[in-house]
Amino acid sequence: MSCVPYDHPAFDAHEEVAFFHDATSGLRAMIAIHRHWRTASAGGCRVREYPDADAALADLLRLSRGMSYKSVMAGVDFGGAKAVVMGPLPEAGEARRTALLRIADWVNTFAGAFRTGVDFGLRSEDVAVMRERTPYVVGLGAFDPAATTAHGVHEAILNAVRHRLDRDDLEGVRVAVQGLGKVGGALVDLLLADGAVVVGADTDVDRAAAAVKKGVRIVPVEIIHREDVDVFSPCAVGEILNETTIPEIRAVVVAGAANNQLARPEDGLDLHRRGILYAPDYVANAGGLIAVAAELGEHDAAWIGRKMKALGRTLSHVFTVATEKDIPTQEAADAIALERIRERDRRFGHNPRPQLAAQR
Ligand code: NAI
């Protein structure tokens, strides 16, 4: 393979790919802008221990492109982008702080054209440190991305239940929530408020205990996907929909927050053949990005509410197209997203980096 990413299999006309290296500490990071379109591009900052730089680059190209897909489905203006840091970062203390400030310097080189925030391996305290050096970090504003993500998943469940079970409410609907963390915990509250019957599982006993107090029945993590329920909501880890779990799923709807729920594209087809309606993860969990858009655009809660309803309509459209064409929902969503991306490419062109330094 060539040492430049143009002929990388995951390259999709990305507009900028930047490589950073701190000679003193050895810290390495990459930032990719899949599309600028007319505004800042956005995507989280992921810290992972990659086996090598090729693996980091593949993740970078794939994830930044994925953010454009999420953005067009969420109906927000951002082009997709991502930062990946080749971990590990120092666990704590001054060394971690120094590394975070260095990453913030690299974010600043985009002069506002790239906005970033929490992702795998980065904590909100870390983002607060980066904020000391760069104004271009998000997720510390008025709207909690996790709570907004939970609202989006709730909207996804409502739409999927309407489509699959022909019901307009969740009263008595049985939902299994895998992972009772920031998103799963908030989702449980919304479901219970709707009169749903909730069963949950979490590897963290304290989180499970907190859910019991709300009225959630807890089952072991190994069996949550097998529960006799209407809806299975993965809100913990990726690749949970795979050749082992899918034949055991009894729910007729799968809608959750976890990223990359399908282990392989064939698993989407398997769900489709079994009559399980799957809300594609990057649409169902787009609430976090909507919260970020609200923060940057200084929008209010009513604006978020409208975006949530639009997200629900987009999902309904995905379900309708998948039903009409008899294809997996993931395939339908990808086709709709790609069409929207092409439309934005036509409208905005492949822009040079927008001059956004004044926009904070
Ligand atoms: P979190 O870390 O607060 O919660 C995840 C929970 O899952 C934890 O309580 C953890 O103990 C539990 N868990 C881990 N492995 C498990 C397993 N095998 N079985 C059952 N429980 C398990 O994370 P958060 O923020 O709630 O995110 C949940 C998922 O949603 C993640 O996959 C994340 O990537 C995705 N997501 C989160 C967004 C956000 O804004 N927080 C936005 C979009 C996606």
Side-chain angles (χ1 to χ4, degrees):
M1 187 169 43
S2 143
C3 60
V4 292
Y6 300 123
D7 49 4
H8 192 285
F11 184 73
D12 177 45
H14 287 69
E15 290 176 359
E16 295 194 52
V17 182
F19 298 84
F20 299 93
H21 177 233
D22 182 89
T24 312
S25 62
L27 184 67
R28 288 180 293 170
M30 305 173 191
I31 296 175
I33 310 288
H34 177 247
R35 292 292 188 275
H36 282 301
W37 290 325
R38 65 176 171 191
T39 181
S41 303
C45 177
R46 174 166 295 201
V47 182
R48 261 186 76 177
E49 285 184 51
Y50 292 98
D52 52 37
D54 281 343
L57 178 63
D59 216 21
L60 178 77
L61 294 175
R62 197 174 49 79
L63 292 167
S64 53
R65 173 175 174 271
M67 285 305 296
S68 290
Y69 275 65
K70 185 180 287 212
S71 171
V72 293
M73 294 306 255
V76 298
D77 292 337
F78 301 128
K82 202 81 185 179
V84 300
V85 177
M86 296 182 65
L89 284 184
E91 209 20 66
E94 204 47 43
R96 187 172 181 95
R97 190 181 150 73
T98 304
L100 292 167
L101 293 176
R102 196 80 185 99
I103 297 165
D105 287 334
W106 295 336
V107 172
N108 275 335
T109 65
F110 286 82
F114 169 59
R115 311 292 173 112
T116 195
V118 169
D119 200 277
F120 186 89
L122 207 65
R123 304 183 281 256
S124 45
E125 313 80 275
D126 296 329
V127 175
V129 171
M130 289 167 69
R131 179 92 207 199
E132 293 174 25
R133 187 63 67 77
T134 176
Y136 306 125
V137 288
V138 291
L140 302 170
F143 302 109
D144 173 15
T148 318
T149 301
H151 275 280
V153 174
H154 177 245
E155 194 64 41
I157 291 174
L158 278 169
N159 273 279
V161 163
R162 192 172 299 133
H163 195 87
R164 184 66 179 75
L165 297 173
D166 202 17
R167 289 193 49 160
D168 280 329
D169 63 73
L170 298 179
E171 181 74 43
V173 170
R174 300 161 305 160
V175 186
V177 181
Q178 179 184 46
L180 303 165
K182 293 186 288 297
V183 178
L187 175 65
V188 163
D189 294 339
L190 297 170
L191 294 170
L192 291 174
D194 281 347
V197 179
V198 183
V199 50
D202 198 297
T203 44
D204 181 321
V205 287
D206 293 335
R207 285 189 158 164
V212 169
K213 286 195 189 131
K214 297 177 185 173
V216 174
R217 180 168 62 86
I218 295 294
V219 298
V221 290
E222 300 75 31
I223 64 165
I224 183 75
H225 66 280
R226 285 192 234 150
E227 280 296 296
D228 184 12
V229 290
D230 305 298
V231 180
F232 172 46
S233 184
C235 295
V237 288
E239 301 191 7
I240 186 63
L241 304 172
N242 55 52
E243 57 189 336
T244 308
T245 57
I246 291 172
E248 298 177 337
I249 293 174
R250 290 153 88 182
V252 290
V253 165
V254 175
N259 282 308
N260 305 320
Q261 290 171 36
L262 296 172
R264 309 160 307 163
E266 305 88 277
D267 296 313
L269 184 59
D270 196 8
L271 288 168
H272 175 64
R273 286 197 177 127
R274 290 169 190 272
I276 299 172
L277 186 66
Y278 167 59
D281 46 15
Y282 69 89
V283 189
N285 71 16
L289 188 63
I290 291 174
V292 166
E295 181 183 332
L296 288 181
E298 296 178 10
H299 300 295
D300 59 8
W303 182 88
I304 292 187
R306 288 195 295 278
K307 286 288 172 197
M308 287 294 165
K309 289 290 164 207
L311 189 67
R313 285 195 297 278
T314 294
L315 259 180
S316 294
H317 181 47
V318 168
F319 296 150
T320 304
V321 169
T323 306
E324 281 171 6
K325 296 192 171 170
D326 194 19
I327 56 172
T329 49
Q330 181 84 15
E331 210 178 305
D334 287 352
I336 293 165
L338 188 59
E339 187 42 51
R340 291 183 179 187
I341 286 172
R342 287 191 177 133
E343 202 270 322
R344 285 201 196 180
D345 282 349
R346 278 193 296 274
R347 193 146 46 110
F348 303 121
H350 282 265
N351 285 330
R353 184 189 291 187
Q355 298 303 306
L356 294 161
Q359 260 186 42
R360 301 224 161 148

